[in-house]
Amino acid sequence: MDGKFKWQEQRTTTPDGVYRVLRTAILDGTVPPGEQLRETHIAADLGISRSPLREALTRLEEEGLVVKIPFRGSFVVEVSARDVAEIASIRLLVEPYAAELSAPTLRGPERLRLKQTIEELYRATDKHDIPASIDAHLRFHRLFYEFSGNSALQSLWNGWENKLRLYFAVDHPTYSDLHEIAVEHERLAALALDGDIDAFRDEMASQFRNALRVNANEA
């Protein structure tokens, strides 16, 4: 674990600062799924006490990125290819419906928010900023569920988001050109706003085939 963690901005001992650096290390793949986060090693590496570290680990656990196993310690959560394939199969059924329901809002009062999310995705992918690209990627899809006006759809997304976050931490670095993720999502946005839900579904299916290609044998 020594030497893995780097402070992004300025050295800090606050729980929020520790949380941010650990979260980045998880999402950029520095600390892979299944790896143990050893408190003693991390505290020594970052030059901090155990108290802010434990607060940060609790926050990461609440976010679904870390699991604490009694008498063993804290580990980065693992998401299997089968988990992702099962989520994808349901998303192919319900996300086009969420896009259809949310389209009037996204064409109107929230159009700027959709545009800004796509711009953030372009900026993050062009900088090859994996954590920021994952955040923007998830924020984009969340908009369809959030503005669908359907609480059951919103609950589905809330249940998937953390698993998808960990999957994207593995998936995003596999792109030869990360910029393509932003291009794909701009296409999805255009189809949703045009009301072409069949084409939206076809585009999602194409993107999912690409995303799951690496794990197809495992799923």
Side-chain angles (χ1 to χ4, degrees), residues 12-19 22 48-58:
T12 176
T13 58
T14 66
D16 185 64
V18 178
Y19 159 80
L22 290 177
I48 59 173
S49 69
R50 300 280 282 276
S51 178
L53 174 57
R54 285 172 176 164
E55 288 187 47
L57 289 172
T58 295

Side-chain angles (χ1 to χ4, degrees), residues 15 20-21 55 64 68 72 100 127 134 140 157 175 190 192 204-205:
R20 284 187 287 104
V21 75
E55 288 187 47
K68 292 181 181 177
R72 291 188 59 198
E100 183 177 14
K127 293 178 180 177
I134 292 169
F140 173 88
W157 178 259
Y175 277 74
M204 277 191 69

Side-chain angles (χ1 to χ4, degrees), residues 37 40 63 66 70 83 97 120 144 148 155 174 192 213:
L37 295 164
T40 302
E63 193 173 345
V66 167
D83 290 335
Y97 180 51
E120 289 166 5
F144 297 124
S148 69
S155 294
T174 67
R213 184 177 63 248

Side-chain angles (χ1 to χ4, degrees), residues 38-81:
R38 299 181 185 277
E39 291 186 17
T40 302
H41 293 177
I42 297 172
D45 190 33
L46 297 180
I48 59 173
S49 69
R50 300 280 282 276
S51 178
L53 174 57
R54 285 172 176 164
E55 288 187 47
L57 289 172
T58 295
R59 186 171 169 186
L60 289 166
E61 182 182 24
E62 291 170 351
E63 193 173 345
L65 297 179
V66 167
V67 59
K68 292 181 181 177
I69 301 176
F71 309 112
R72 291 188 59 198
S74 298
F75 296 79
V76 178
V77 169
E78 295 183 270
V79 178
S80 72

Side-chain angles (χ1 to χ4, degrees), residues 54-191:
R54 285 172 176 164
E55 288 187 47
L57 289 172
T58 295
R59 186 171 169 186
L60 289 166
E61 182 182 24
E62 291 170 351
E63 193 173 345
L65 297 179
V66 167
V67 59
K68 292 181 181 177
I69 301 176
F71 309 112
R72 291 188 59 198
S74 298
F75 296 79
V76 178
V77 169
E78 295 183 270
V79 178
S80 72
R82 182 173 295 278
D83 290 335
V84 176
E86 289 176 351
I87 291 171
S89 66
I90 299 172
R91 286 182 63 197
L92 281 172
L93 295 173
V94 303
E95 194 158 321
Y97 180 51
E100 183 177 14
L101 292 176
S102 63
T105 301
L106 294 175
R107 287 191 202 105
E110 297 296 338
R111 190 181 186 99
L112 179 60
R113 186 168 167 186
L114 177 62
K115 180 182 177 182
Q116 289 174 335
T117 302
I118 294 170
E119 290 173 350
E120 289 166 5
L121 187 53
Y122 269 110
R123 280 195 297 271
T125 55
D126 288 345
K127 293 178 180 177
H128 209 79
D129 184 337
I130 298 294
S133 72
I134 292 169
D135 285 342
H137 188 159
L138 290 167
R139 199 155 50 244
F140 173 88
H141 289 283
R142 190 187 308 133
L143 291 175
F144 297 124
Y145 295 83
E146 181 179 347
F147 294 116
S148 69
N150 187 306
S151 60
L153 287 173
Q154 293 170 20
S155 294
L156 283 173
W157 178 259
N158 291 339
W160 296 331
E161 186 165 309
N162 287 325
K163 286 187 176 181
L164 291 173
R165 188 180 299 279
L166 285 164
Y167 169 69
F168 291 155
V170 175
D171 179 64
H172 277 213
T174 67
Y175 277 74
S176 58
D177 181 6
L178 202 62
H179 176 88
E180 181 61 22
I181 294 175
V183 174
E184 291 173 349
H185 285 72
E186 188 170 26
R187 284 201 299 266
L188 281 176
L191 292 169

